[in-house]
Amino acid sequence: MKKELIFIAEIGLNHNGNFDLCFELIKQAKAAGANIVKFQLGWRDKPKEMNQFDKKRISQLIEWAKYFEIELLFSIISENAWELIKPFKFKKFKIASRTIKHDMTLAKKILKDNKETIISLGMWDKKKPPFPKNKKIFYLWCLSKYPCEPKDLKNLPKNFNKTHYYGYSDHSIGIETSILAISRGAKIVEKHFTLDKSSTIIRDHSLSATPEEFRQMVNIGKDIFKKVNMGV
């Protein structure tokens, strides 16, 4: 992964089960400055559930992401999801906190593919990371609480460069904590992304950034990142 500040717009299930809405979400994420747009594969994906993706839908997401010139990423949450995504030859994958806690076997299979892998450690309670750090593993600090309150975030690294964390996955309300993480050395920021924060269909909407909020986070974050690397 290039040594630059990376913004991931986590759409997750914020399409509310309306697959066609993914087109607009990808479009708005790109316009807001995201480098990567991310979905979850293998979560609430049974027949007639809201996040059921098949090869046809994955191909459609790939086509839309290519059209808007933004990288597409998936969190792989089940064995079936892993088998479904492998033929598409993605360059990188995401491993969610719940996978590290509940399905280490799957996590090892994903890493064995030797692709760049971003791993959230929101449920990891040990001091050492689950896998030895290398050039293809990028750990994100996060807290698996939805949403996080300021009092919950006292353990946010004071200096990411002195930890095994490469970035931050944000579950707090607002963009301030993401910007704080950048000022402390985070090089990846993952933030949930929505077109409607008032929606109650999925809990993630309330802690997500709107296109305008995401754009503000990107603009401010990039400026802070430059200053930090200048030694300010």
Side-chain angles (χ1 to χ4, degrees):
M1 193 173 294
K2 295 179 181 179
K3 291 186 178 180
E4 59 180 337
L5 183 58
I6 302 295
F7 290 94
I8 301 174
E10 161 70 286
I11 291 175
L13 277 65
N14 280 355
H15 51 74
N16 297 334
N18 178 0
F19 182 72
D20 291 334
L21 189 61
C22 294
F23 179 90
E24 184 66 18
L25 282 158
I26 294 171
K27 175 183 177 181
Q28 292 297 332
K30 172 65 177 183
N35 305 94
I36 298 172
V37 62
K38 187 173 82 70
F39 292 85
Q40 296 179 14
L41 198 63
W43 185 248
R44 296 184 68 172
D45 63 336
K46 302 293 188 296
K48 297 185 179 180
E49 286 191 314
M50 68 182 305
N51 198 46
Q52 185 186 13
F53 287 165
D54 55 17
K55 289 184 178 180
K56 182 178 179 181
R57 286 191 166 186
I58 292 172
S59 296
Q60 184 66 78
L61 292 175
I62 291 171
E63 182 180 325
W64 289 340
K66 185 177 180 180
Y67 179 79
F68 289 114
E69 299 181 338
I70 187 169
E71 184 174 355
L72 178 65
L73 180 68
F74 285 96
S75 288
I76 310 301
I77 301 174
S78 71
E79 291 279 355
N80 288 339
W82 178 233
E83 293 303 318
L84 179 62
I85 201 70
K86 281 196 296 184
F88 288 95
K89 307 298 182 182
F90 277 81
K91 294 181 179 180
K92 63 171 66 74
F93 298 107
K94 171 76 189 294
I95 298 177
S97 298
R98 66 171 69 91
T99 304
I100 293 296
K101 182 175 181 178
H102 299 297
D103 197 348
M104 189 62 79
T105 299
L106 174 59
K108 290 178 179 178
K109 284 185 179 181
I110 296 170
L111 289 174
K112 192 175 181 180
D113 203 47
N114 202 32
K115 303 288 179 61
E116 288 188 346
T117 307
I118 301 168
I119 304 176
S120 285
L121 295 181
M123 297 182 181
W124 186 253
D125 57 4
K126 297 177 175 60
K127 290 185 178 180
K128 291 185 178 181
F131 307 103
K133 191 176 181 181
N134 62 47
K135 293 181 179 180
K136 292 190 175 182
I137 293 179
F138 303 88
Y139 289 115
L140 303 187
W141 191 95
C142 76
L143 187 63
S144 295
K145 181 181 177 183
Y146 307 84
C148 295
E149 298 179 44
K151 64 182 180 181
D152 300 319
L153 297 167
K154 294 180 180 179
N155 290 326
L156 182 74
K158 302 299 184 290
N159 186 341
F160 279 76
N161 297 317
K162 293 183 178 181
T163 72
H164 53 262
Y165 295 109
Y166 193 83
Y168 173 55
S169 180
D170 189 11
H171 297 149
S172 68
I173 294 175
I175 61 174
E176 293 84 359
T177 308
S178 289
I179 292 171
L180 178 62
I182 294 168
S183 75
R184 294 179 177 183
K187 299 174 184 65
I188 296 176
V189 169
E190 179 182 68
K191 181 71 179 176
H192 286 259
F193 187 77
T194 183
L195 302 179
D196 182 9
K197 294 178 73 168
S198 68
S199 174
T200 57
I201 296 175
I202 292 295
R203 66 180 179 181
D204 294 344
H205 286 290
S206 66
L207 55 89
S208 300
T210 63
E212 181 55 32
E213 288 173 326
F214 202 96
R215 188 178 299 108
Q216 290 177 5
M217 179 181 69
V218 169
N219 290 339
I220 296 171
K222 283 183 175 180
D223 188 60
I224 289 175
F225 187 74
K226 285 182 181 179
K227 287 182 170 67
V228 168
N229 284 282
M230 288 172 60
V232 175

